[in-house]
Amino acid sequence: MPEILGHNYIAGGRSAAGSISLQSFDAQSGEALPFSFVQATIDEVNAAAEAAAAAYPSYRNVPAAKRAEFLEACAAEIDALGDDFVALVCRETALPAGRIQGERGRTSNQMRLFAQVLRRGDFYGARIDPALPERQPLPRADLRQYRIGVGPVAVFGASNFPLAFSTAGGDTAAALAAGCPVVFKAHSGHMATAECVADAIIRAAQKTGMPVGVFNMIYGGGVGEWLVKHPAIQAVGFTGSLRGGRALCDMAAARPQPIPVFAEMSSINPVLLLPDALKARGAQIAAELTGSVLLGCGQFCTSPGLVLGVGSPEFTAFLETFAARMSDQPAQTMLNAGTLQSYVSGLERLREHPGIRHLAGAEQAGNQARPQLFKADVRLLLEGDELLQEEVFGPTTVVVEVADRAELLRALHGLHGQLTATLIADAADLDSCTDLLALLEQKAGRLLLNGYPTGVEVCDSMVHGGPYPATSDARGTSVGTLAIDRFLRPVCYQNCPDALLPPALQNANPLGIRRLVDGTSTSTALG
């Protein structure tokens, strides 16, 4: 592993003009690690944005197959990061080595998946309506549409996924695939990790001949505002808190030229336990749900934070088993001291609410998070109490017991937007699920049946998004190949000579891609 310099990455070089030094810490012990990082100055942030802007004209014209080679080179460099790198990430995040190794594989596989998208060519969205000069009463001009990258993208690293949602994570991969240079804002919780991955991206860019400035990275608290407000930045990708995401959305909207912010923010990921499923396997559901709530110390954006069920003897038995299992779980170290403090504050708000009762979990002590279970009165959902809608990031969940199915539907109507919604159902339950699914698809981006929301497959059909406040734009996803759509925009050519058209729209179809020609999908050339 190379030496950690702690300098910002700008236009293929390193810069450390600032006077503020930032420290990296061991997440387990809280001790300072032997790395310091120089916070970017406003001039360095501007230089990074301008470097991305300078790279954009040439990078967006790099053939898709060549961009695919760049992404694959990034993947290879990330895979080559060795055991010393894994150990470093473990120290900065307290995540186990197996988790980091798996996340490294997911990160590189995301890059390779977007390389496949580039080679397929469907991301162009090519549409051609040939001229119809003889059409009456109005002739039709020759119209051709395809999609291009929007321009430089600012990406903010997430705290809970130091690799897969960070420096070379999904937002960065999607933006680079779309032809958009990136300025990445490193997360303060794992700055040394970010530097190692940034080095890997820069090596890949150099090996594949990408323009300098295709990837830039800055350190520091508060520097994100300068970045989002810079006129060269054309879109923002963010994974984090509702407060942070809203602040970025408001900044971006207040610019002289407003830009989109694709922010993944807050979700409590409701799990609905239907009666026949509880009758058949209540104890098994309690065990499985406990595992999902506590996976990764509850530090997943899809962690189930709300459990709903219809009151019955089976529900009561389930709840007793669930509480016993939650009580038996050990404390875990969270990502950093700030995350633990946020968790403790969230628990205090739940404990202080008169409509919420604590069911299981030892008192918080020391620097580890202890699992907790609460039960809330259904009136909090029916009457629109906001506390129950707030995500508590960590190993806890809230159970709500409803009187009957009609009350369940009313409670669900009161839910805000979610990343996921889960139905635990048996065959006899499924006959009456149609109205539940119709309601839940208005509330969430991903609906699960007899599964648990923690664990997000990276593939073409995945949706990791949802209505506000789960995300700032429910039309997109931050996981899966559809994520590229966020950083593309359509352009239409009217009566343009064939020689001047981009290859994706030329008559001969030199890229060999499928195109919608006069309403028919085809990969053939035009006559």
Side-chain angles (χ1 to χ4, degrees):
M1 187 173 66
E3 178 186 2
I4 303 294
L5 296 179
H7 298 174
N8 301 284
Y9 291 72
I10 301 172
R14 306 299 296 273
S15 178
S19 59
I20 299 175
S21 180
L22 308 171
Q23 188 66 52
S24 179
F25 294 93
D26 185 302
Q28 287 276 7
S29 67
E31 296 176 356
L33 294 173
F35 314 119
S36 60
F37 302 82
V38 181
Q39 178 162 298
T41 65
I42 189 169
D43 288 340
E44 287 175 313
V45 173
N46 291 341
E50 287 155 12
Y56 172 63
S58 57
Y59 183 61
R60 82 175 188 87
N61 287 318
V62 170
K66 187 68 175 175
R67 290 208 303 272
E69 292 177 8
F70 170 39
L71 296 183
E72 288 168 341
C74 288
E77 292 289 342
I78 291 166
D79 283 342
L81 296 172
D83 292 343
D84 51 354
F85 167 74
V86 173
L88 171 64
V89 185
C90 292
R91 292 196 69 186
E92 281 199 306
T93 64
L95 296 173
R99 157 72 189 272
I100 298 305
Q101 290 161 349
E103 195 179 325
R104 178 180 56 187
R106 170 176 167 169
T107 305
S108 59
N109 287 340
Q110 286 176 156
M111 288 283 187
R112 293 188 177 96
L113 186 61
F114 279 111
Q116 293 176 20
V117 170
L118 292 177
R119 290 196 169 94
R120 283 202 311 257
D122 51 317
F123 75 97
Y124 286 117
R127 298 164 177 249
I128 299 174
D129 286 300
L132 295 175
E134 305 302 323
R135 189 178 71 174
Q136 297 299 324
L138 294 174
R140 185 177 74 191
D142 185 274
L143 297 166
R144 306 184 183 216
Q145 177 196 123
Y146 86 139
R147 302 192 300 173
I148 66 170
V150 297
V153 174
V155 175
F156 287 73
S159 66
N160 58 334
F161 279 85
L163 302 180
F165 280 84
S166 195
T167 318
D171 287 346
T172 296
L176 292 176
C180 301
V182 167
V183 182
F184 181 77
K185 161 64 175 64
H187 193 278
S188 60
H190 36 77
M191 293 181 288
T193 298
E195 176 153 334
C196 293
V197 179
D199 282 341
I201 297 173
I202 295 298
R203 287 194 297 271
Q206 293 170 344
K207 288 179 179 179
T208 54
M210 295 299 110
V212 296
V214 69
F215 178 83
N216 311 270
M217 187 172 80
I218 56 174
Y219 297 107
V223 302
E225 181 175 355
W226 299 332
L227 181 59
V228 171
K229 290 181 175 180
H230 195 285
I233 299 300
Q234 296 301 299
V236 177
F238 171 84
T239 299
S241 68
L242 176 59
R243 180 180 177 183
R246 271 309 303 258
L248 293 180
C249 289
D250 293 345
M251 287 177 206
R255 287 176 27 144
Q257 175 219 358
I259 58 172
V261 174
F262 301 101
E264 182 207 312
M265 298 176 292
S266 176
S267 180
I268 55 174
N269 307 298
V271 176
L272 282 60
L273 308 179
L274 298 190
D276 284 290
L278 286 179
K279 288 179 183 178
R281 47 194 170 94
Q284 176 187 341
I285 292 168
E288 293 168 345
L289 186 57
T290 300
S292 184
V293 171
L294 302 185
L295 186 66
C297 197
Q299 297 171 119
F300 289 109
C301 40
T302 54
S303 184
L306 182 68
V307 180
L308 301 105
V310 178
S312 67
E314 291 80 15
F315 184 80
T316 300
F318 155 79
L319 193 52
E320 291 175 354
T321 304
F322 189 31
R325 284 190 169 272
M326 290 288 288
S327 294
D328 287 343
Q329 304 305 312
Q332 298 181 61
T333 302
M334 299 194 81
L335 290 159
N336 50 61
T339 303
L340 177 61
Q341 182 55 53
S342 295
Y343 177 60
V344 171
S345 298
L347 295 180
E348 289 174 353
R349 290 193 296 273
L350 292 175
R351 285 179 180 273
E352 292 169 358
H353 195 290
I356 298 176
R357 181 162 55 96
H358 182 253
L359 292 185
E363 291 289 331
Q364 292 302 125
N367 65 348
Q368 291 191 310
R370 297 183 183 276
Q372 307 291 329
L373 177 63
F374 296 86
K375 186 178 182 184
D377 194 304
V378 67
R379 286 178 297 178
L380 273 66
L381 287 177
L382 299 176
E383 297 171 4
D385 191 300
E386 288 297 311
L387 181 62
L388 208 57
Q389 307 266 9
E390 294 178 6
E391 178 185 19
V392 178
F393 192 67
T396 190
T397 193
V398 179
V399 174
V400 172
E401 181 176 340
V402 300
D404 52 30
R405 203 169 185 284
E407 190 169 69
L408 175 62
L409 286 168
R410 293 201 304 274
L412 293 176
H413 272 288
L415 283 179
H416 297 334
Q418 308 293 332
L419 293 172
T420 71
T422 300
L423 280 176
I424 304 296
D426 241 26
D429 295 312
L430 297 178
D431 295 336
S432 58
C433 279
T434 303
D435 56 347
L436 282 174
L437 288 171
L439 174 56
L440 291 175
E441 73 175 3
Q442 298 175 55
K443 298 288 184 178
R446 177 164 59 109
L447 307 183
L448 295 90
L449 187 65
N450 290 326
Y452 295 91
T454 41
V456 181
E457 181 75 21
V458 181
C459 60
D460 289 322
S461 54
M462 177 53 66
V463 172
H464 191 62
Y468 183 88
T471 70
S472 58
D473 191 330
R475 295 169 297 177
T477 175
S478 59
V479 177
T481 58
L482 189 66
I484 195 174
D485 285 12
R486 298 170 299 161
F487 306 122
L488 295 167
R489 68 174 181 86
V491 177
C492 179
Y493 289 83
Q494 182 167 330
N495 290 335
C496 185
D498 190 71
L500 296 182
L501 287 169
L505 298 178
Q506 290 174 1
N507 288 334
N509 192 13
L511 301 181
I513 62 175
R514 295 202 70 81
R515 308 185 294 186
L516 190 67
V517 179
D518 206 13
T520 300
S521 178
T522 177
S523 57
T524 60
L526 274 69

